Amino acid sequence: GQQVMQIPQYQHVQEGEDFTTYCNSSTTLSNIQWYKQRPGGHPVFLIQLVKSGEVKKQKRLTFQFGEAKKNSSLHITATQTTDVGTYFCAGRNNQGGKLIFGQGTELSVKP
Amino acid sequence: GAVVSQHPSRVICKSGTSVKIECRSLDFQATTMFWYRQFPKKSLMLMATSNEGSKATYEQGVEKDKFLINHASLTLSTLTVTSAHPEDSSFYICSARPLAGLTYEQYFGPGTRLTVT
């Protein structure tokens, strides 16, 4: 079945450093979503990417969707302590429409 | 807007008993709600898709007789864990897809932490 792999599993950075998490799907995706889950909280929708090669920005966050629509990345510039949490990608394939979540990348930021 | 609530937020029950978890969309209608399970430090695993007025669609490996889902209205879905066992202890999260607006959005509830002793 479809799998969505996400790396790294953990990332510890110093405040001000950049951070990137990568997401790879075993199959072509119709779209991909990104969520953030704070410690003890629930996933919060960040963004959806639909088009091949799409790049979207939200302040310090940059989201990319690969040309083949099988991979995606989230890049945070100059991390802050408020960025702490687990970032999940979730892909929807061309059939069925259900979201398959990656394993998540847990980000910790040292002040 | 787009708030989803879950009740209870935390529940401890004895092995063999049943537990009902409610998922409500507070300010929007949702024809589709999703139930996920999340283990510590792990990803969300989709258990089932709940459609208002029809039977839920369960993912492979999820026992429909053990995890009963009822989507009685456009704002309420319930998950009942029957004859709970310690291995059912987990964080259960629901999400709801609005009837109107952008169809790809899903809003997650705060989750219910179930502990079976």
Side-chain angles (χ1 to χ4, degrees), chain B:
Chain B
V3 177
V4 176
S5 71
Q6 271 184 251
H7 178 79
S9 58
R10 211 176 268 272
V11 58
I12 301 172
C13 70
K14 292 187 177 180
S15 189
T17 61
S18 295
V19 174
K20 180 185 283 188
I21 303 170
E22 293 186 348
C23 177
R24 292 181 185 272
S25 55
L26 297 184
D27 50 1
F28 66 96
Q29 292 182 323
T31 53
T32 306
M33 289 185 175
F34 304 89
W35 287 95
Y36 294 85
R37 186 173 179 178
Q38 187 177 33
F39 292 100
K41 303 287 187 180
K42 297 293 183 183
S43 186
L44 286 81
M45 183 192 79
L46 180 63
M47 298 175 65
T49 301
S50 167
N51 294 294
E52 187 267 338
S54 63
K55 290 184 178 180
T57 303
Y58 289 81
E59 295 301 305
Q60 191 173 5
V62 178
E63 298 177 58
K64 59 181 66 177
D65 293 331
K66 180 165 184 62
F67 298 98
L68 300 178
I69 292 173
N70 186 317
H71 195 150
S73 75
L74 287 173
T75 59
L76 173 64
S77 176
T78 61
L79 166 68
T80 301
V81 182
T82 62
S83 187
H85 290 284
E87 57 264 30
D88 298 325
S89 299
S90 190
F91 193 50
Y92 293 88
I93 309 177
C94 71
S95 72
R97 181 186 291 167
L99 175 63
L102 299 170
T103 57
Y104 57 70
E105 293 183 45
Q106 281 180 224
Y107 298 96
F108 283 83
T112 296
R113 188 162 303 282
L114 170 63
T115 303
V116 185
T117 61

Side-chain angles (χ1 to χ4, degrees), chain A residues 49-66:
Chain A
L49 304 172
V50 179
K51 299 177 182 177
S52 170
E54 188 171 14
V55 178
K56 286 188 176 180
K57 291 191 175 185
Q58 289 179 352
K59 296 183 180 179
R60 294 178 294 104
L61 278 61
T62 302
F63 304 84
Q64 291 187 328
F65 201 9

